[in-house]
Amino acid sequence: MKKLVALTLASLMLLAGCSSTPKNDGNEATPTPEAAATEADVIVVGAGGAGMTAAIEAVNAGKSVIVIEKAAMTGGNTTRSTGGMNAANTPEQDKNDFAEDAGVEKMLASAKENYPDLAELTATVEKQYEEYKANPTGYFDTEELFMLDTLVGGKNLNDHALVEVLANEAKNGIEWLKTIDANLSQVGSFGGASVKRIHKPVNDEGKTVAVGSYLVPKLTKAAEDKGVQFVMETAATELVVTDGKVTGVKAGDTTYTGKAVILATGGFAANTEMVLKYKPSYEGFVCTNAPGMTGDGIVMATAIGADTVDMEQIQIHPTVSQETSALITEGLRGDGAILVNSEGKRFFDEVGTRDAVSAAEVAQPGGFAWLIVDNKMVEASSVIAGYIKQGLTVEGADVEALAAAMGVDGAALVETMDKWNACVEAGKDEEFGRTSFANKLDEGPYYAIKVAPGVHHTMGGLKINTNTEVLDASGNAIPGLYAAGEVTGGVHGANRLGGNAVADIIVFGRIAGQQAAAYAN
Ligand code: ADP
């Protein structure tokens, strides 16, 4: 009976995205010997996506692992991720018909015009695209096009070696996720990607579900099943260095000792002081992050000589509800939603990069926009149903009623919607150059969400090499110290593409776990 209760509790906690080994609150029996351990081969700091992925891979390589997490639940910002994971050249993509010629051609033209330094990569992609057009089999995407999109999106500030690893390994990450029962089976369009590349989970009814709340319980369960020890509600404060090697972390009075340490503490978007230090212009912006994203890993590692990169590259996301700081996924725009201003008019290519869409939005009267979807979109996505349930939407049975609910001019919105639906039909948007259209917005009821930019992702962070070793100012690896996920910098350059954060945590989380385990031998 006792066991049954424990199991039920564990599964309930799992559903809530929690670890089933919470901190002893003093009301429980003596902790198990495992729960009291302070020594393991590998110590991971942070139980978000990158940390748990690293922990699982270190155990897969035969190592004992302790994960220290400052929150009461696993998941960090990863839990809040709604979109999906970018990966190129996957069997999931091949299930789609290729109709993204305009997207590829636009990217090739933009790369040629704006990024002569990327000429070689651009020529490779062009050749691949021509070969595909001569013999179209499957869906067209390549690791090189994924790289090109990421570099152009990141204004070519990215670390090319890290981007190459991201692009080459993401498809293996999609396969690896299947080993922990996570299947990102549906592929869609997303901002900054030339083709359908973002891989999303769907529920039993075939509706898209948010990727973070789908992955986190699965990562947590896999880590627990494999014997990873979670130490919850415990904030690491300092790295321990012995003879020039990182050999553990301190969390208050307790020292956790290991042969290697992996920092996976996420970014610093929730640390207003740190954000404003690098971007004073973001004063007053809301933040989409969980409160724990305060840059602790960056502080701890720089204190022992680690280098950082691109710290001033902080992303604002264009579709954030200002009242609740809730992020409205870019997937809605990828799946056909449009943005209109307070005059009921479209003003930009909705699937442009986040920095560009945010800037366009800020330039509108009042600095905000309305994101519009129709009933067909609602029926295909449990994510939108969630927004409706949370009270984030206004609605109308037809476009005029929606306009009244939004407080915008009815005739103007009707004209905008008619014009947009004609663009979808023609597959061409002459006014703003959007190239992905999905379906017409023509079935009531219609819904709109009021959005404006919010601080979302910190692209900068600890400098790492392709083995996820943390580097010092001279470019040397700090022995025993690894980092993965948003705590690191260089992968995303000046602007992170939607779908690349999950790719980052899975790809580099895996590498960190494998490398730290090899180092711990
Ligand atoms: P990523 O996407 O890179 O995996 P997340 O934001 O998902 O990053 O997760 C980072 C995790 O690290 C969060 O769960 C956060 O609470 C945790 N964390 C941050 N700072 C500390 C710290 N000092 N000690 C322990 N855990 C931390």
Side-chain angles (χ1 to χ4, degrees):
M1 187 60 199
K2 239 181 171 175
K3 196 170 174 197
L4 183 68
V5 173
L7 271 176
T8 312
L9 186 64
S11 28
L12 277 174
M13 295 182 95
L14 193 63
L15 279 174
C18 313
S19 164
S20 64
T21 50
K23 190 182 161 193
N24 186 296
D25 62 5
N27 295 326
E28 292 171 17
T30 323
T32 59
E34 293 81 28
T38 55
E39 213 176 313
D41 293 322
V42 177
I43 309 291
V44 178
V45 187
M52 290 196 286
T53 301
I56 293 167
E57 282 293 67
V59 175
N60 285 346
K63 300 299 165 196
S64 58
V65 179
I66 294 175
V67 177
I68 300 168
E69 167 54 54
K70 81 171 167 187
M73 289 193 285
T74 58
N77 262 356
T78 303
T79 303
R80 299 186 176 206
S81 167
T82 17
M85 170 166 162
N86 286 339
N89 223 345
T90 66
E92 286 76 15
Q93 283 177 305
D94 283 334
K95 288 181 199 143
N96 295 269
D97 292 330
F98 182 75
E100 278 66 45
D101 297 275
V104 177
E105 281 155 23
K106 188 175 166 187
M107 174 51 63
L108 288 170
S110 159
K112 278 184 201 167
E113 191 183 329
N114 304 312
Y115 295 97
D117 289 357
L118 299 176
E120 206 178 311
L121 182 64
T122 309
T124 304
V125 174
E126 192 160 33
K127 191 160 168 265
Q128 291 169 334
Y129 180 52
E130 272 159 18
E131 280 167 10
Y132 174 81
K133 280 198 298 184
N135 180 22
T137 41
Y139 188 83
F140 177 71
D141 194 12
T142 66
E143 290 80 350
E144 288 76 12
L145 178 56
F146 184 3
M147 261 190 91
L148 190 64
D149 285 346
T150 301
L151 292 172
V152 168
K155 302 191 172 59
N156 199 19
L157 192 71
N158 326 50
D159 180 323
H160 285 210
L162 294 177
V163 175
E164 189 172 357
V165 171
L166 181 86
N168 286 337
E169 288 301 317
K171 59 182 183 300
N172 299 329
I174 295 281
E175 291 305 311
W176 179 81
L177 282 171
K178 292 174 190 168
T179 68
I180 63 157
D181 190 34
N183 200 349
L184 306 185
S185 57
Q186 195 185 72
V187 182
S189 300
F190 232 62
S194 303
V195 297
K196 288 185 178 170
R197 184 180 294 133
I198 192 158
H199 293 62
K200 305 180 274 190
V202 290
N203 63 16
D204 292 344
E205 295 160 23
K207 290 188 183 186
T208 313
V209 293
V211 71
S213 48
Y214 173 84
L215 285 183
V216 165
K218 291 182 186 286
L219 287 165
T220 308
K221 181 175 186 314
E224 287 184 333
D225 287 353
K226 285 172 186 282
V228 169
Q229 183 201 319
F230 285 91
V231 183
M232 303 303 291
E233 293 179 79
T234 301
T237 45
E238 202 181 316
L239 290 165
V240 179
V241 183
T242 316
D243 298 332
K245 294 175 182 160
V246 174
T247 55
V249 295
K250 283 189 182 165
D253 294 337
T254 311
T255 298
Y256 293 87
T257 305
K259 294 175 187 151
V261 171
I262 300 171
L263 292 173
T265 48
F268 61 92
N271 185 337
T272 308
E273 203 179 309
M274 208 160 159
V275 167
L276 294 181
K277 176 177 163 194
Y278 295 103
K279 273 277 187 208
S281 59
Y282 289 176
E283 174 86 59
F285 275 48
V286 300
C287 170
T288 63
N289 282 212
M293 303 314 126
T294 45
D296 301 9
I298 298 171
V299 174
M300 287 188 276
T302 50
I304 65 152
D307 199 9
T308 56
V309 60
D310 298 340
M311 289 294 284
E312 61 298 336
Q313 301 300 333
I314 300 172
Q315 179 172 75
I316 48 175
H317 189 292
T319 54
V320 180
S321 152
Q322 301 296 292
E323 286 73 30
T324 59
S325 298
L327 180 124
I328 310 303
T329 180
E330 195 166 302
L332 263 57
R333 284 171 281 142
D335 291 340
I338 58 168
L339 287 169
V340 303
N341 63 16
S342 58
E343 292 162 353
K345 293 180 182 150
R346 282 183 70 225
F347 53 88
F348 204 70
D349 169 7
E350 289 87 349
V351 290
T353 54
R354 289 174 174 179
D355 56 339
V357 180
S358 294
E361 219 171 62
V362 169
Q364 300 311 303
F368 70 90
W370 291 97
L371 184 72
I372 300 182
V373 301
D374 76 344
N375 187 51
K376 289 200 299 293
M377 286 188 65
V378 175
E379 297 217 316
S381 163
S382 69
V383 174
I384 310 181
Y387 298 148
I388 296 171
K389 222 170 160 181
Q390 288 168 54
L392 297 175
T393 50
V394 296
E395 73 178 273
D398 55 29
V399 175
E400 278 190 332
L402 180 72
M406 291 158 63
V408 309
D409 184 72
L413 190 63
V414 169
E415 190 185 327
T416 297
M417 297 290 277
D418 288 348
K419 226 163 149 185
W420 170 247
N421 287 333
C423 288
V424 179
E425 201 164 300
K428 212 171 169 84
D429 171 24
E430 301 214 327
E431 213 173 346
F432 302 109
R434 178 165 166 172
T435 55
S436 88
F437 298 95
N439 301 307
K440 285 185 186 178
L441 296 173
D442 60 359
E443 184 182 298
Y446 297 86
Y447 299 82
I449 307 177
K450 193 174 181 180
V451 292
V455 178
H456 181 53
H457 188 96
T458 47
M459 274 78 69
L462 297 175
K463 195 163 187 178
I464 56 165
N465 61 18
T466 52
N467 288 335
T468 69
E469 292 169 295
V470 177
L471 305 179
D472 66 17
S474 312
N476 298 315
I478 299 174
L481 187 61
Y482 298 81
E486 198 175 341
V487 71
T488 69
V491 176
H492 308 292
N495 177 62
R496 176 177 68 75
L497 297 187
N500 271 359
V502 179
D504 183 1
I505 59 177
I506 300 300
V507 166
F508 290 101
R510 290 186 68 205
I511 295 172
Q514 293 158 1
Q515 291 292 324
Y519 176 86
N521 269 332

